[in-house]
Amino acid sequence: MTLTPLVYWAQRHEEIYLRVELTDAQVSSTHLLSTLGRGAKGQHNYEFSLEFLLPVKPEVRHKSTQRQVNITVRKQQRGWWERLTVLERKPVFLAPDFDRWLDESDAEMELQEKEEKKNRLKTVRHTEEGFISLKTSFLLVYNLVQFLGFSWIFVNMTVRLFIFGQDSLYDTFHTISDAMFFCQTLALVEVFNAAFGVVRTGVFPTLIQVVGRNFVLFIIFGSLEEMHHRPVVFFAFYLWSAIEIFRYPFYMLGCFNTEWKTLTWLRYSVWIPLYPLGVLAEAVAVVQSIPIFDQTKLYSIPLPKAIGTSINFSYFLHVYLILMCLGLFINFRHLYKQRKRRFRTKKRKTH
């Protein structure tokens, strides 16, 4: 025995919406729509057919839920139908779907709102694409400049070490300092990138590394001529550049959403021995500078004559050494988490 289900309908200028209280329906359509399924009255089969007022497209979208089937039919031509079927008399099983029902003017307004929303999203997308393109270009140029700068430093120091041997340890500042001043001053950009969300990384770890290096470079090495010929300058510069020659090309490839596995491993691994050694070289430089600051009274804060003394800059350096240990712990922990997260994600993708 075949029964006819109750069918609810509504329309828009481009589509017809049908809601049929059936489950497990099989739908087919050309100019005539039919559906077959099982309804609430037991094991009976349900079937209905509709001859539409105007032609519709053969593709029919339908989705079955536990209680109903939602069917969407696209009109062959955009327009508003005065009724659903060819016959003026409405079939007894057909009723308006008041949950989706709109009159022609309301449907026009809904369509207009959709178009406006689509245009807004399109405008926003173009704006974001333009911003992303500009941001990517900026990051690419920045990382390229830093890579070339630190590569020049690393290669120059390596060549000089092979040619001049131990003597190259004592003239590093005079031969390399200009390039290192440039690269480390430019590195301040990374703090602003993190602060303003240009790149996704923590502001505090970036600030610790950049400010820490620049303090040693400008205050310890740059302002004390007695430090210019110390071998510690060579070790600090060499360790800094050894880390960066892997970090910046990794970021450059990231601008193109590409990855070189060997470079990725080096970027997330070489810092493990090099970063603590770099901080150790910075600490040695600070310790060696303390007697010089005590002797020269450079950056000391004079106190009133009644007190008859001054606050030596070396007091601050003792505190700074403690802060360096804390900064080492914070940054090492941050870098370790980055490495762990990176390779855990890669393992998940592999599996």
Side-chain angles (χ1 to χ4, degrees):
M1 181 178 178
T2 301
L3 301 178
T4 303
L6 188 59
V7 180
Y8 301 91
W9 79 283
Q11 68 169 316
R12 298 295 185 268
H13 287 81
E14 296 179 347
E15 294 176 327
I16 299 291
Y17 303 123
L18 302 176
R19 178 166 58 86
V20 188
E21 293 187 346
L22 287 177
T23 58
D24 301 325
Q26 298 176 354
V27 182
S28 62
S29 173
T30 53
H31 192 68
L32 188 70
L33 179 73
S34 63
T35 183
L36 183 66
R38 296 193 174 275
K41 295 184 178 180
Q43 299 299 320
H44 298 290
N45 290 330
Y46 293 79
E47 184 176 348
F48 76 95
S49 64
L50 290 171
E51 189 173 1
F52 293 121
L53 178 65
L54 294 172
V56 297
K57 294 182 179 180
E59 299 84 8
V60 176
R61 300 197 310 269
H62 62 93
K63 181 180 179 181
S64 298
T65 66
Q66 292 182 351
R67 296 183 179 180
Q68 63 191 28
V69 180
N70 296 312
I71 303 171
T72 303
V73 183
R74 294 186 63 83
K75 298 176 181 178
Q76 194 75 41
Q77 292 184 345
R78 185 181 183 279
W80 194 260
W81 293 2
E82 60 181 15
R83 60 180 183 273
L84 182 62
T85 59
V86 173
L87 298 176
E88 292 187 11
R89 186 176 180 181
K90 180 176 66 68
V92 294
F93 62 86
L94 190 64
D97 187 352
F98 290 108
D99 291 337
R100 306 193 68 170
W101 190 268
L102 291 177
D103 58 27
E104 185 175 2
S105 60
D106 291 336
E108 282 283 2
M109 290 181 62
E110 182 188 67
L111 185 62
Q112 186 177 355
E113 289 175 359
K114 286 182 179 179
E115 287 294 329
E116 290 176 353
K117 184 178 180 181
K118 188 185 297 183
N119 291 334
R120 284 197 302 269
L121 290 175
K122 196 174 182 180
T123 303
V124 171
R125 192 178 300 114
H126 285 319
T127 304
E128 288 179 348
E129 286 175 356
F131 172 73
I132 291 171
S133 177
L134 181 63
K135 182 179 77 171
T136 302
S137 301
F138 165 72
L139 291 175
L140 177 63
V141 172
Y142 169 77
N143 290 313
L144 176 61
V145 171
Q146 288 288 68
F147 170 66
L148 294 176
F150 280 107
S151 295
W152 183 88
I153 292 171
F154 184 81
V155 172
N156 191 301
M157 293 179 67
T158 303
V159 171
R160 290 179 60 82
L161 182 63
F162 277 103
I163 295 176
F164 301 107
Q166 189 174 352
D167 292 338
S168 67
L169 303 180
Y170 301 97
D171 64 350
T172 299
F173 187 85
H174 294 291
T175 56
I176 304 297
S177 61
D178 289 341
M180 186 59 77
F181 280 134
F182 172 79
C183 290
Q184 281 304 132
T185 302
L186 191 60
L188 292 170
V189 173
E190 297 182 29
V191 179
F192 294 104
N193 287 345
F196 293 106
V198 179
V199 294
R200 295 181 180 178
T201 188
V203 180
F204 194 54
T206 306
L207 185 67
I208 290 175
Q209 178 171 318
V210 174
V211 172
R213 283 187 183 180
N214 282 348
F215 178 82
V216 173
L217 177 62
F218 288 94
I219 303 300
I220 304 299
F221 296 151
S223 62
L224 295 178
E225 189 175 349
E226 294 85 348
M227 294 294 298
H228 292 179
H229 301 286
R230 302 287 179 97
V232 69
V233 178
F234 173 89
F235 291 108
F237 284 10
Y238 203 71
L239 291 167
W240 292 350
S241 59
I243 293 175
E244 306 302 10
I245 60 174
F246 299 113
R247 189 166 70 97
Y248 286 114
F250 171 80
Y251 292 152
M252 288 169 58
L253 291 180
C255 293
F256 301 101
N257 293 321
T258 56
E259 180 183 0
W260 181 25
K261 292 182 179 180
T262 303
L263 182 61
T264 300
W265 185 87
L266 289 170
R267 183 262 179 272
Y268 285 101
S269 301
V270 295
W271 65 266
I272 297 175
L274 296 184
Y275 181 66
L277 289 175
V279 175
L280 178 61
E282 295 172 24
V284 170
V286 172
V287 171
Q288 290 182 356
S289 70
I290 289 176
I292 303 173
F293 279 111
D294 284 337
Q295 182 180 359
T296 61
K297 303 297 182 181
L298 185 63
Y299 301 134
S300 295
I301 302 174
L303 296 177
K305 291 183 179 180
I307 300 177
T309 185
S310 62
I311 300 177
N312 288 338
F313 187 66
S314 60
Y315 298 155
F316 171 78
L317 294 180
H318 285 91
V319 176
Y320 183 75
L321 286 171
I322 299 174
L323 295 177
M324 285 182 68
C325 296
L326 180 61
L328 172 62
F329 171 77
I330 293 173
N331 261 15
F332 198 93
R333 185 167 173 266
H334 170 72
L335 292 170
Y336 177 75
K337 283 185 176 180
Q338 276 190 332
R339 186 180 193 276
K340 187 176 180 181
R341 183 166 58 248
R342 179 75 183 192
F343 290 118
R344 184 172 62 226
T345 303
K346 287 172 67 66
K347 285 180 180 179
R348 287 177 180 175
K349 290 181 178 179
T350 304
H351 293 308

